[in-house]
Amino acid sequence: MKISTPKERAAALRAQLDEANYRYHVLDEPNIPDAEYDARMRELEAIEAAHPDLRTPDSPTQRVGAAPSREFAEVRHALPMLSLANAFSDAEVEDFARRIRERLGRTDLEFSVEPKFDGLAISLRYENGMFVQGATRGDGETGEDVSANLRTIRSIPLRLRGKNWPRVLEVRGEVYMPRAGFEKYNEAARASGGKIKALVNPRNAAAGSLRQLDPRITARRPLAFFAYAVGQVEGGDLPATHSATMRRLRDWGFPVSHLIDTAVGVEGCLAYFRRIGLRRDALPFDIDGVVYKLDDLAAQRELGFVGRTPRWAVAHKFPAQEQTTTVEDIIVNIGRTGAATPAAKLKPVFVGGVTVTNATLHNADQVARLDVRIGDTVIVRRAGDVIPEVVGVVLDKRPAHTQAWQMPAHCPVCGSAIVCEEGEVVARCSGGLSCAAQRVQAIFHFASRRAMDIDGLGERYIENLCALDYVHSVADLYKLSISNLLEMKRLADERDGTTPETVKAGKIASRWAENLIAAIGASKRTTLDRFLYALGIPDVGEATAKALSRYFGALGALMQAAPEELMQVPDVGPIMAAHIATFFAEPHNRKAIAQLRAAGVTWPESEPQREAQGPLAGKTVVLTGTLTSLARDEAKERLEALGAKVSGSVSKKTGFVVAGSEAGSKLDKAQELGIEIWDEARLTEFLRAHE
Ligand code: IVH
């Protein structure tokens, strides 16, 4: 066997580590487990420590090496770093394409279509294939030398792969913080009890991290990079189109997003915009739009620039998901289980495509953490269908004489004490069903689509029915008459000042009342799992309701079950078992159930099914990494409802592993054992198909 010299061994380790980095960050196909990567890195560090002359500037050990600096040196960009014009509508995109057609006298336009990454633009300079300098955009002409910080980002190559690179190559792109890393960082910040400050959003986080004077701090921030353009090129040639250039950059070791595509004409661009828009919330990083770039580089040169923006590209923006506005009041909403949730009343603001006037503050801890006060200017976020939330306060704009907010001692609806149990984050109104707010929410939940599915019975109507004393409990819904509903509607309209006293309006109202009574009547024929879910037993979601219904088959058996027996049901732990048993032992709950059955609510009873059932029966599943579109608890619950056993560790018996982003050793182990691996998309697809 040939014994290698330290020099040879160091070179071999560097090649292996570079290859592993490229596989991981550029191809998205890791080839070695993290543990092995770390072991090789340590071996290389040891060789370099023993033989300092063997240490090279492009060695993967040299990513965090530089000492903190006092300030960043200025860098004059060889070619200015430009910005993009924005389009906010389809019509503006059409104008953009029309101007190009007119200038070029051509109709067949092909575009590179790309996500607009929401991070920070940087320029990376390579000479003879080695990374020599990296800079921020600055004012476009002059930026700051943040090379030491950029070296800490593992997806930025320190040395190019392949061959035939130009002698000088500047690559431009975006440094960003993946959402999973952002969440993880903030979790740690929250756990630090104020020692580490939480980051407001991934974009600010990326910018702030890159501007740290101490690269060791940057190294601890989970940053990543995507290339999307080239700057100066000397002593070498690049392909004739932008898309081919991007492929070339990928071969040279740069991460280029796999979402980048080509499209023909305005239709192709707009189709891409919609396609990416649908995926936006499920992506592992933030984007704020898409970018269209004319693909033909000769045509780009012909078109040139207006001011600082190219004529050949445009950013088509999604509606902003964050805006600033002011807090007019902080109120407390009481939920179905009494949870007192603080919410900010906001000066109306257009965000995420709708006008927002309320944003949740989640709980008192969150208000304290953010220190949101009445009068503050705040950043409000509304992403996709998620309820709007306050993510931060603009402290510079805080008016004088504001006061820290505190949870009120009494329920604003019923006046009962608001209590916070030891160790719980959630404060609750102690009024139970004597609190009108809890009653309204309980009835609203009972009637909701996935519960008893009473179409047309909104929260407002329930509030009014309760206020008029027509309804005290869910069973009262089945006693309502058409005249009760019309009376309620008339009083509600009167109060709102919208009483249309025409014959036609009267007819419409009667039809509305008839339909609602019919919907209430139709809801009586239901299923046991819907009924259980509708009861609103604390912690019992749809999946648990299904599991309970399958296990017991009949309500009587379930109502008599002791906690020990309840714990036999898949997915039911000791706390939930106690909640269920307590719920059914409560006399007023038993009475409500008896009244509902007397009112005619029925469902087919079935044989108890004690064996796990469903498409995943008998399969053990392991979840690892971060899932973006659903919480891990939810994924677990839904997999269990399909018969799976969800386990914490990978073994030969594991059926498959669901690997979210940043999956670590469990994924490695699964790969070693040759176990089937699902990504998040496959999981959500499967759940959708089988639920
Ligand atoms: S191209 C000449 N492509 O958007 C055009 N920019 O105002 C140079 N950005 O500061 C930029 N994603 O940080 C380009 N796929 C993409 C991009 C992108 C994000 C950012 C970039 C720049 C800003 C343009």
Side-chain angles (χ1 to χ4, degrees), residues 520-641:
I520 293 173
S523 78
K524 287 183 193 171
R525 296 188 151 275
T526 185
T527 57
L528 179 55
D529 56 275
R530 273 180 178 272
F531 182 74
L532 290 174
Y533 174 61
L535 290 176
I537 306 164
D539 285 352
V540 175
E542 278 182 281
T544 310
K546 282 203 175 87
L548 288 169
S549 137
R550 198 175 305 131
Y551 188 91
F552 289 99
L555 182 62
L558 167 60
M559 286 177 74
Q560 283 162 18
E564 298 70 43
E565 189 175 5
L566 290 164
M567 279 165 64
Q568 301 301 311
V569 180
D571 178 30
V572 175
I575 296 177
M576 210 193 281
H579 277 157
I580 298 168
T582 311
F583 181 91
F584 287 119
E586 194 69 54
H588 72 256
N589 290 334
R590 299 180 79 93
K591 189 170 149 207
I593 291 169
Q595 285 173 338
L596 286 166
R597 302 203 79 166
V601 174
T602 66
W603 54 85
E605 300 215 332
S606 52
E607 286 301 308
Q609 295 172 16
R610 300 283 149 101
E611 293 304 315
Q613 290 268 324
L616 296 177
K619 269 211 193 285
T620 305
V621 180
V622 175
L623 297 167
T624 180
T626 314
L627 302 175
T628 48
S629 60
L630 72 177
R632 194 186 284 212
D633 282 351
E634 189 195 340
K636 178 170 182 288
E637 197 178 311
R638 289 167 68 180
L639 283 164
E640 285 172 342

Side-chain angles (χ1 to χ4, degrees), residues 81-86 114-122 137 173-174 228-229 260 288 291 293 305 308 310 312-313 315:
M81 288 182 77
L82 305 161
S83 56
L84 296 168
N86 289 323
E114 319 181 347
K116 185 165 189 300
F117 309 105
D118 203 5
L120 184 77
I122 55 148
R137 176 168 179 275
E174 200 88 347
Y228 55 61
I260 296 188
D288 58 346
V291 182
K293 299 173 182 168
F305 304 87
R308 318 206 112 268
W312 41 263

Side-chain angles (χ1 to χ4, degrees), residues 197-211:
K197 239 184 116 39
L199 304 163
V200 174
N201 57 35
R203 199 253 285 257
N204 288 3
S209 302
L210 215 52
R211 298 205 70 263

Side-chain angles (χ1 to χ4, degrees), residues 6-193:
K7 186 173 178 185
E8 285 164 351
R9 181 66 188 151
L13 286 167
R14 272 180 212 129
Q16 287 167 7
L17 289 163
D18 282 347
E19 177 71 17
N21 250 341
Y22 174 71
R23 294 278 187 127
Y24 186 91
H25 293 288
V26 181
L27 301 184
D28 229 354
E29 292 163 1
N31 64 334
I32 58 171
D34 286 0
E36 212 161 298
Y37 182 94
D38 294 342
R40 286 180 199 173
M41 185 70 108
R42 278 196 301 276
E43 187 186 346
L44 180 58
E45 276 164 356
I47 297 176
E48 289 178 350
H51 309 274
D53 52 314
L54 292 182
R55 192 172 280 151
T56 58
D58 64 337
S59 172
T61 59
Q62 296 306 294
R63 288 194 178 267
V64 198
S69 53
R70 283 174 184 283
E71 58 176 357
F72 299 114
E74 280 195 352
V75 176
R76 233 190 128 67
H77 298 300
L79 290 178
M81 288 182 77
L82 305 161
S83 56
L84 296 168
N86 289 323
F88 293 97
S89 65
D90 292 5
E92 286 176 19
V93 175
E94 279 170 31
D95 287 346
F96 156 76
R98 183 179 40 73
R99 286 193 296 269
I100 295 182
R101 283 197 304 270
E102 285 171 4
R103 279 195 173 252
L104 296 178
R106 259 170 56 180
T107 50
D108 56 327
L109 302 182
E110 181 139 340
F111 294 93
S112 173
V113 289
E114 319 181 347
K116 185 165 189 300
F117 309 105
D118 203 5
L120 184 77
I122 55 148
S123 186
L124 304 170
R125 190 176 172 89
Y126 291 81
E127 290 175 6
N128 300 313
M130 300 288 242
F131 174 65
V132 293
Q133 190 176 58
T136 59
R137 176 168 179 275
D139 62 5
E141 300 288 340
T142 314
E144 287 178 320
D145 183 340
V146 287
S147 310
N149 289 342
L150 291 169
R151 296 178 80 90
T152 69
I153 301 176
R154 283 233 224 144
S155 53
I156 293 181
L158 298 179
R159 172 171 53 175
L160 301 186
R161 298 171 58 84
K163 47 187 184 307
N164 295 336
W165 351 277
R167 191 175 52 74
V168 174
L169 172 68
E170 261 182 28
V171 171
R172 277 147 188 202
E174 200 88 347
V175 167
Y176 66 97
M177 188 178 283
R179 285 178 183 158
F182 170 78
E183 296 295 344
K184 208 152 138 195
Y185 186 93
N186 273 355
E187 252 164 52
R190 279 193 280 274
S192 78

Side-chain angles (χ1 to χ4, degrees), residues 438-684:
Q438 292 188 47
R439 233 169 27 229
V440 169
Q441 291 304 321
I443 297 170
F444 183 55
H445 170 79
F446 180 84
S448 65
R449 196 171 55 80
R450 309 185 76 104
M452 300 300 277
D453 192 18
I454 304 179
D455 195 19
L457 191 58
E459 190 173 344
R460 211 43 225 289
Y461 291 148
I462 298 172
E463 259 170 30
N464 289 325
L465 288 168
C466 289
L468 286 170
D469 269 351
Y470 286 142
V471 173
H472 299 99
S473 76
V474 287
D476 294 337
L477 291 175
Y478 295 99
K479 296 187 193 137
L480 286 170
S481 65
I482 290 187
S483 63
N484 291 157
L485 289 177
L486 288 172
E487 174 75 0
M488 178 276 285
K489 192 163 161 39
R490 196 176 57 73
L491 290 173
D493 287 347
E494 229 170 64
R495 193 165 43 196
D496 297 348
T498 54
T499 327
E501 286 293 359
T502 62
V503 176
K504 190 166 169 226
K507 275 196 185 144
I508 293 174
S510 311
R511 187 149 351 110
W512 163 82
E514 280 163 24
N515 288 343
L516 189 46
I517 291 289
I520 293 173
S523 78
K524 287 183 193 171
R525 296 188 151 275
T526 185
T527 57
L528 179 55
D529 56 275
R530 273 180 178 272
F531 182 74
L532 290 174
Y533 174 61
L535 290 176
I537 306 164
D539 285 352
V540 175
E542 278 182 281
T544 310
K546 282 203 175 87
L548 288 169
S549 137
R550 198 175 305 131
Y551 188 91
F552 289 99
L555 182 62
L558 167 60
M559 286 177 74
Q560 283 162 18
E564 298 70 43
E565 189 175 5
L566 290 164
M567 279 165 64
Q568 301 301 311
V569 180
D571 178 30
V572 175
I575 296 177
M576 210 193 281
H579 277 157
I580 298 168
T582 311
F583 181 91
F584 287 119
E586 194 69 54
H588 72 256
N589 290 334
R590 299 180 79 93
K591 189 170 149 207
I593 291 169
Q595 285 173 338
L596 286 166
R597 302 203 79 166
V601 174
T602 66
W603 54 85
E605 300 215 332
S606 52
E607 286 301 308
Q609 295 172 16
R610 300 283 149 101
E611 293 304 315
Q613 290 268 324
L616 296 177
K619 269 211 193 285
T620 305
V621 180
V622 175
L623 297 167
T624 180
T626 314
L627 302 175
T628 48
S629 60
L630 72 177
R632 194 186 284 212
D633 282 351
E634 189 195 340
K636 178 170 182 288
E637 197 178 311
R638 289 167 68 180
L639 283 164
E640 285 172 342
L642 296 177
K645 180 168 176 296
V646 177
S647 154
S649 57
V650 178
S651 74
K652 273 186 292 190
K653 297 209 184 96
T654 306
F656 61 89
V657 170
V658 179
S661 57
E662 306 205 351
S665 58
K666 288 181 197 169
L667 175 58
D668 299 339
K669 178 135 189 227
Q671 280 166 337
E672 251 165 62
L673 295 172
I675 285 163
E676 190 175 335
I677 293 162
W678 289 20
D679 63 7
E680 183 170 346
R682 176 147 178 215
L683 172 68
T684 46

